[in-house]
Amino acid sequence: MNQPATVAVTGLTVRHRRTVALDALDLSLSPGIHGLLGPNGAGKTSLIRVLATVAAPASGRVELLGGDVGSHGERTAIRRRLGYLPQEFGCYPAFTVREFVAYVAWLKEVPADRAAAAVERAVERVGLADRIDARMKTLSGGMVRRAGIAQAIVNEPELLLLDEPTAGLDPEQRVDFRALLRELGTEATVVVSTHLVEDVAAACTDVALIESGVLAFRGTTAELAALGGESGDPGDSTTNAIERGYTAALRAHRDRLAARPAGQRAKESLR
């Protein structure tokens, strides 16, 4: 039986001054782990920011967890139920990891009688239990990133939005992170925006590929890999097949755009 959509986006348009970052995008996501791929400037971060309710669209409808983000009351309730890791996040450098994650737990209104345990569990899940009382300013870049993931999951969100979550993590930490993603995706809707195709191959079951603000491909990782065909190299891996599929999907999308009548392309360029 199909699960109800956690994310339902219809006609989503986002503009940055005269630039159209997202162009009438439609997207529906249910519980599971969804990879969000695309070239730099494709609109991935713009989409994540709208889903995190930190940016407002120019037009379109966005429903999260059954609520309409256009309603102030519903938007406030939605924020308590989601987790968000931006590409760059701020924190008080004098805070310890415990204090930083506890502060976010307070913002998310985690009940006081559960907050301390929730903080310790979140920090342990990202492998920072031995640094929980270290100050943020003493951590390495990879540790700061893991603390960022901990704050995103401290409220056990139903919708988890991660923008370039493995930036700064070493290979061993990325393997552990992927295992955590698979665990989280059994009950929550997890959206991972990344340019690392291997992360999608290892952890995600579904892929949305965005190019120039529109949806260029939507399907499973196996379907994306199938687009890459055979390389003829017996040492080639599934990851490389997905990389080839990613390139093939982008090129096919660009070919479809180029094949449209010139008048239609001109109108689209003015939107």
Side-chain angles (χ1 to χ4, degrees), residues 21-22 37-44 210-214:
L22 294 172
L37 291 174
N40 290 337
K44 303 186 302 295
I210 295 179
E211 160 78 335
S212 299
V214 300

Side-chain angles (χ1 to χ4, degrees), residues 11-266:
L12 177 62
T13 297
V14 174
R15 292 187 176 90
H16 302 309
R17 297 184 179 179
R18 294 186 177 182
T19 301
V20 178
L22 294 172
D23 190 1
L25 182 75
D26 296 336
L27 188 63
S28 177
L29 303 174
S30 298
I33 311 168
H34 306 275
L36 187 60
L37 291 174
N40 290 337
K44 303 186 302 295
T45 292
S46 294
L47 176 58
I48 290 286
R49 284 174 54 81
V50 169
L51 297 184
T53 74
V54 299
S59 62
R61 183 175 179 85
V62 180
E63 294 184 358
L64 306 176
L65 302 167
D68 183 354
V69 300
S71 164
H72 175 72
E74 292 187 35
R75 185 166 61 249
T76 300
I78 289 167
R79 286 172 175 166
R80 300 188 190 106
R81 300 166 62 193
L82 64 78
Y84 172 45
L85 174 68
Q87 284 192 42
E88 298 180 4
F89 63 91
C91 63
Y92 294 108
F95 269 12
T96 64
V97 174
R98 187 193 303 273
E99 290 168 340
F100 169 54
V101 180
Y103 174 64
V104 176
W106 175 75
L107 291 176
K108 297 290 185 180
E109 299 185 4
V110 175
D113 61 342
R114 293 197 294 108
V119 169
E120 292 187 0
R121 173 169 166 74
V123 173
E124 181 179 7
R125 293 175 90 179
V126 300
L128 282 179
D130 61 335
R131 302 301 303 273
I132 193 169
D133 290 314
R135 299 196 183 280
M136 295 290 294
K137 63 183 178 182
T138 69
L139 303 182
S140 67
M143 289 179 181
V144 171
R145 201 67 183 159
R146 283 188 279 161
I149 297 169
Q151 64 81 27
I153 65 175
V154 68
N155 58 325
E156 297 186 1
E158 298 166 63
L159 173 60
L160 178 59
L161 307 165
L162 303 170
D163 199 354
E164 299 291 353
T166 58
L169 302 187
D170 64 34
E172 181 181 7
Q173 292 164 356
R174 285 170 59 192
V175 169
D176 291 341
F177 171 72
R178 292 166 186 165
L180 174 60
L181 275 187
R182 289 190 287 270
E183 178 186 338
L184 295 168
T186 59
E187 295 183 354
T189 299
V190 183
V191 183
V192 183
S193 174
T194 181
H195 69 281
L196 298 174
V197 178
E198 58 267 33
D199 285 343
V200 172
C204 301
T205 54
D206 181 81
V207 183
L209 173 55
I210 295 179
E211 160 78 335
S212 299
V214 300
L215 194 63
F217 171 86
R218 177 74 190 281
T220 65
T221 53
E223 290 169 339
L224 184 60
L227 292 179
E230 296 294 334
S231 70
D233 179 358
D236 201 8
S237 66
T238 301
T239 297
N240 287 334
I242 288 182
E243 289 173 345
R244 293 195 307 274
Y246 167 83
T247 300
L250 278 180
R251 289 174 177 170
H253 173 70
R254 290 165 183 166
D255 288 343
R256 288 193 297 271
L257 291 181
R260 293 181 181 181
Q264 183 178 352
R265 295 199 304 272

